Amino acid sequence: MALEDAKTQIDQAFTRAELRGLSFENAFGGATSFLRRRYSKDLSGAQIAITGIPFDQAVTNRPGTRFGPRAIREASTLQAFDAPYGWGYDPLSELAIVDYGDMAFDYANVAEVPARIEAHLAGIVNAGVMPITLGGDHFITLPILRAVAAKHGPVALIQIDAHSDTWADDDMNRIDHGTFLYKAIKQGIVAPQTTVSVGIRTDNPDTLGVSILDAPSVHQDGIDATLARIRDVVGDRPTYVTFDIDALDPAFAPGTGTPVWGGLASWQAAALLRGLKGINMVGGDVVEVSPPYDPTGVTAIAGAHVATELLALAGWGLRKEGL
């Protein structure tokens, strides 16, 4: 069946009629939506929407994550043939998923970007659809959290990252990818007692009370112990998951703006995301994929896998709810 479909399927990003189902379009051809889902601004009947925020003007070092959403979508075409491994169900066939496309914005008017991101995500969240966002730098998570919290109230947060992103910054006009969590806590969008940061390996003495499971602890204590600690922090609260690709060691994801050695291996990241099944997830993102610094494309491949795992994790809860 797959071979026969491959002979006829092309440009599924525009031609597919159904929101559900695998795609057997040749990975190297056609228009590239995320996992060959249909591009649509119509969220009617959708359960999950993939969207891109190609913004990278808040970085402290190397830019380039504006190309992240495009590269992640292209890398995902190799994953559209099969159910994601290790979940025991096929989210592409069971769930109604759309690619909502990227957010439009004026790159020369940076000051208006935060409000635009918040409004863009509010359009998804208020339609009753779960957002999975492709970044972009990590600043984008702050306005996303505002939109999600406006719907669900202050949310628990699982941050998988090399950096705590709690550096002090009380200037609300500054747009900085290293302070998104500081501002989210100060604004009451998330609470430190229900926030856990995993994979950290940069020094920042003031973590504002956030639970830190640094990379050495993950390596030493193992996946099961790490998952147990994460669950203790977030419980059954509405939870947002943000994955900075620099959580992975540069050996697995060199294409990022602020790489730090000693990070998670890709198998650890996969095990953590799959082990979170059952959390009360209300949204997620993968950020900081910067293709210009990785000519092999392996970082975008990792980003596509992370986004797919987030999609499967979101779907796990939706299936449980019978939606």
Side-chain angles (χ1 to χ4, degrees), residues 274-319:
R274 293 169 193 168
L276 290 174
K277 61 181 63 171
I279 64 168
N280 183 11
M281 184 174 172
V282 293
D285 63 53
V286 55
V287 297
E288 300 287 356
V289 171
S290 189
Y293 300 101
D294 179 7
T296 71
V298 70
T299 309
I301 292 169
H305 278 285
V306 169
T308 301
E309 296 297 300
L310 290 174
L311 189 156
L313 180 59
W316 189 271
L318 294 173
R319 293 170 78 236

Side-chain angles (χ1 to χ4, degrees), residues 1 33 54 58 67 102-103 114 126 145 185 207 245 247 274 292 298 302 312:
M1 180 64 178
S33 60
F67 301 110
D102 287 350
M103 183 190 79
N126 293 338
L145 285 171
I185 291 171
T207 60
I245 205 68
R274 293 169 193 168
V298 70

Side-chain angles (χ1 to χ4, degrees), residues 56-319:
D56 67 357
Q57 287 159 271
V59 299
T60 55
N61 189 31
R62 306 189 300 193
T65 62
R66 65 182 62 188
F67 301 110
R70 181 185 296 173
I72 291 170
R73 285 187 174 98
E74 181 177 357
S76 78
T77 61
L78 192 58
Q79 298 172 248
F81 309 122
D82 306 294
Y85 184 79
W87 283 91
Y89 87 105
D90 178 8
L92 299 185
S93 296
E94 292 192 28
L95 303 172
I97 306 163
V98 300
D99 190 324
Y100 196 64
D102 287 350
M103 183 190 79
F105 64 97
D106 180 354
Y107 69 88
N109 192 344
V110 177
E112 74 164 11
V113 170
R116 291 189 69 88
I117 295 173
E118 184 175 350
H120 181 77
L121 267 293
I124 297 171
V125 173
N126 293 338
V129 178
M130 179 97 68
I132 304 294
T133 305
L134 313 176
D137 68 47
H138 216 160
F139 167 77
I140 71 169
T141 302
L142 177 60
I144 292 172
L145 285 171
R146 290 192 191 117
V148 173
K151 174 75 172 181
H152 298 282
V155 295
L157 180 69
I158 299 171
Q159 174 195 14
I160 305 175
D161 202 329
H163 310 85
S164 67
D165 294 336
T166 55
W167 284 278
D169 182 5
D170 293 310
D171 182 349
M172 291 300 109
N173 293 318
R174 289 192 72 254
I175 298 174
D176 187 334
H177 72 160
T179 65
F180 92 86
L181 185 49
Y182 179 92
K183 290 183 175 177
I185 291 171
K186 294 296 184 179
Q187 293 172 21
I189 302 168
V190 301
Q193 62 268 27
T194 60
T195 299
V196 56
S197 299
V198 184
I200 305 302
R201 53 194 189 278
T202 49
D203 186 51
N204 182 7
D206 188 1
T207 60
L208 302 182
V210 170
S211 295
I212 303 294
L213 305 179
D214 64 11
S217 78
V218 177
H219 299 324
Q220 179 175 331
D221 299 338
I223 298 299
D224 290 344
T226 302
L227 286 168
R229 292 169 186 160
I230 294 171
R231 290 181 181 277
D232 283 345
V233 173
V234 303
D236 60 358
R237 302 173 184 87
T239 300
Y240 189 89
V241 183
T242 181
F243 193 109
D244 188 323
I245 205 68
D246 71 23
L248 298 179
D249 189 87
F252 301 93
T256 192
T258 50
V260 184
W261 75 341
L264 304 181
S266 56
W267 73 265
Q268 290 174 309
L272 286 171
L273 291 170
R274 293 169 193 168
L276 290 174
K277 61 181 63 171
I279 64 168
N280 183 11
M281 184 174 172
V282 293
D285 63 53
V286 55
V287 297
E288 300 287 356
V289 171
S290 189
Y293 300 101
D294 179 7
T296 71
V298 70
T299 309
I301 292 169
H305 278 285
V306 169
T308 301
E309 296 297 300
L310 290 174
L311 189 156
L313 180 59
W316 189 271
L318 294 173
R319 293 170 78 236

